[in-house]
């Protein structure tokens, strides 16, 4: 299997977090670089929540210097999500049981298999660097007692499919898939990536609950707009939501 040209790769035994390593590395790189760690001692997810990252699971970050403003760089989460979906589908040989949950989760059999977290530095005019952190439950999943807040029940690739894959091999698949989707983004624009994402979206057209720091709304998941925001149709209006937790029926 070929490694995509123009991307570096750094393999580490143990780090506090591959996102932390990306921040340290960013000023010294001239090309995008993948950072893969066997172990993370302080892995984190959205809103600073802890992330379950035992050895054998996939813990990696892609650090890059993207072109454009912050709002453009933020759309890379959709590129990463589509590429990660492609990767898992290739590994298991099917996409039938996979879906994407806005804003950053990969679902397998309706359980959370993977998450994506973006961190960046810069301002509204220019992004200095972007780090795309990706965690995948390849061999294990957190128990209920290890979850800070349960949104979607977690699953692991091994438990759901019986497939065991080494993180380095998974990275090779993912790096190739990301390179292809990044090329698609540059050639066809975000609308192309958005259409693919929507074709794989969980609960599109169905009722969901969307919770922000200040609001809790129930409505129909209508679409994702050109800025990557969730569009929720309530009984009296449409609401555009840039960031939130999404809950499906039965989730708290």
């Amino acid at each position: 299997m070929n490694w995509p040209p123009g991307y570096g790769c750094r393999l580490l035994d143990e780090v506090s977090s591959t996102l932390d390593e990306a921040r340290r590395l960013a000023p010294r790189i001239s090309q995008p670089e993948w950072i893969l760690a066997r172990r993370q001692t302080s892995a984190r997810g959205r809103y600073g929540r802890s992330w379950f990252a035992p050895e054998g699971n996939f813990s990696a970050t892609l650090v890059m210097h993207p072109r454009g403003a912050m709002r453009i760089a933020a759309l890379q989460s959709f590129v990463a999500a589509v590429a990660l979906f492609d990767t898992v589908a290739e590994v298991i040989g099917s996409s039938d049981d996979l879906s994407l949950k806005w804003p950053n989760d990969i679902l397998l059999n309706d359980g959370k298999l993977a998450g994506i977290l973006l961190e960046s530095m810069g301002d509204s005019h220019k992004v200095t660097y972007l780090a795309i952190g990706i965690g995948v439950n390849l061999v294990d999943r957190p128990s209920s007692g290890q979850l800070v807040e349960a949104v979607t029940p977690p699953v692991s690739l091994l438990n759901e499919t019986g497939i065991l894959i080494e993180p380095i091999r998974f990275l090779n698949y993912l790096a190739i898939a990301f390179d292809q989707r990044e090329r698609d983004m540059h050639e066809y624009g975000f609308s192309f990536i958005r259409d693919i994402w929507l074709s794989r979206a969980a609960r599109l057209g169905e009722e969901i609950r969307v919770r922000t720091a200040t609001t809790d709304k129930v409505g129909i998941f209508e679409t994702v707009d050109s800025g990557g925001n969730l569009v929720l149709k309530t009984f009296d209006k449409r609401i555009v939501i840039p960031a939130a937790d999404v809950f499906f029926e039965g989730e708290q």
Side-chain angles (χ1 to χ4, degrees), residues 226-239:
S226 60
N229 306 299
L230 185 147
V231 180
L232 187 74
K233 183 179 180 181
T234 66
F235 71 95
D236 62 344
K237 60 183 176 181
R238 288 180 174 84
I239 304 172

Side-chain angles (χ1 to χ4, degrees), residues 120-172:
S120 61
M121 182 173 290
D123 55 36
S124 60
H125 301 291
K126 184 179 180 181
V127 177
T128 305
Y129 83 90
L130 179 69
I132 306 172
I134 298 175
V136 186
N137 299 329
L138 293 182
V139 299
D140 201 2
R141 63 178 184 175
S143 65
S144 58
Q146 293 169 307
L147 295 171
V148 175
E149 181 177 339
V151 178
T152 302
V155 297
S156 75
L157 187 70
L158 181 60
N159 287 339
E160 295 297 313
T161 69
I163 294 171
L164 179 63
I165 184 170
E166 290 290 327
I168 184 63
R169 186 164 175 240
F170 189 88
L171 175 60
N172 208 161

Side-chain angles (χ1 to χ4, degrees), residues 94-141:
S94 171
S95 62
D96 292 347
D97 299 319
L98 295 173
S99 58
L100 297 171
K101 183 179 182 182
W102 188 90
N104 56 10
D105 292 346
I106 310 295
L107 305 184
L108 173 59
N109 296 329
D110 295 323
K112 181 172 178 175
L113 176 70
I116 299 167
L117 178 63
L118 265 63
E119 293 188 354
S120 61
M121 182 173 290
D123 55 36
S124 60
H125 301 291
K126 184 179 180 181
V127 177
T128 305
Y129 83 90
L130 179 69
I132 306 172
I134 298 175
V136 186
N137 299 329
L138 293 182
V139 299
D140 201 2
R141 63 178 184 175

Side-chain angles (χ1 to χ4, degrees), residues 82 86 177-185 193 196 200:
V82 170
D86 292 342
F178 185 90
D179 177 55
Q180 180 58 59
R181 293 308 184 182
E182 179 75 349
R183 291 172 188 271
D184 291 341
M185 177 79 152
I193 297 296
I196 296 173
R200 302 169 174 181

Side-chain angles (χ1 to χ4, degrees), residues 4 7 18 23 31 37 56 69-70 121 128 148 172 209 220-221 236 246 251:
Y7 288 79
T18 56
R23 184 182 297 112
Q31 65 178 2
M70 189 73 73
M121 182 173 290
T128 305
V148 175
N172 208 161
R209 179 180 297 275
I220 300 299
F221 177 16
D236 62 344
V246 171
E251 298 176 351

